[in-house]
Amino acid sequence: MNIEKVIFSFFIVLALTLNFGFFLGDFDNPEHHNVYELFVVLVVNLIATVLKFGERTQMGAVLLATSLVASLQLIAAVLVWTFAVHINETGVTPSVIGTIVSLAGGALVANIISVVLLVIDISVQRR
């Protein structure tokens, strides 16, 4: 067992599961989506992105691309939240949380693709 591969896979799967946890809930209900959970999702996604920089294969390039997409979506979601609360001072309204959850949903799709590609890569290496 390669510990580097375990850590790499751990962060990819953790990014997906945390993202799913944030995404789950009523779409426009701010009480179902926690700002700290969004922050943790972003941090774990950024860690997963950094870990993917070491891959030198075509599959590694696609994994990095999916991770960059997820991170970009989550950064946008954090910026929307920050702008609504601290700059606009409108707070997290149903409209704002809808936008945030939509962006997190895009990141979720990218993370799902990343995990599927990871599973394919592992299964191809087994042969």
Side-chain angles (χ1 to χ4, degrees):
M1 181 182 330
N2 185 342
I3 192 69
E4 290 175 11
K5 293 282 186 185
V6 171
I7 293 170
F8 179 75
S9 300
F10 170 79
F11 277 101
I12 292 174
V13 174
L14 183 62
L16 171 65
T17 57
L18 288 171
N19 197 342
F20 181 74
F22 176 79
F23 183 77
L24 199 62
D26 287 342
F27 182 76
D28 59 352
N29 188 342
E31 294 178 6
H32 292 181
H33 309 283
N34 188 295
V35 66
Y36 299 114
E37 189 173 13
L38 178 60
F39 178 74
V40 171
V41 171
L42 175 61
V43 169
V44 170
N45 264 283
L46 291 173
I47 291 169
T49 301
V50 169
L51 290 174
K52 291 176 186 177
F53 276 112
E55 288 291 309
R56 299 280 185 223
T57 63
Q58 180 64 32
M59 183 65 78
V62 177
L63 283 169
L64 178 59
T66 59
S67 191
L68 289 171
V69 168
S71 294
L72 183 64
Q73 295 269 35
L74 291 169
I75 289 169
V78 167
L79 288 175
V80 168
W81 199 311
T82 302
F83 187 82
V85 172
H86 299 290
I87 296 171
N88 244 6
E89 296 181 358
T90 57
V92 184
T93 63
S95 172
V96 169
I97 200 69
T99 302
I100 294 166
V101 171
S102 293
L103 289 166
L108 179 63
V109 171
N111 282 331
I112 290 170
I113 293 169
S114 188
V115 169
V116 167
L117 290 174
L118 178 68
V119 170
I120 290 170
D121 191 37
I122 290 169
S123 66
V124 167
Q125 288 179 4
R126 285 290 208 181
R127 294 181 183 181

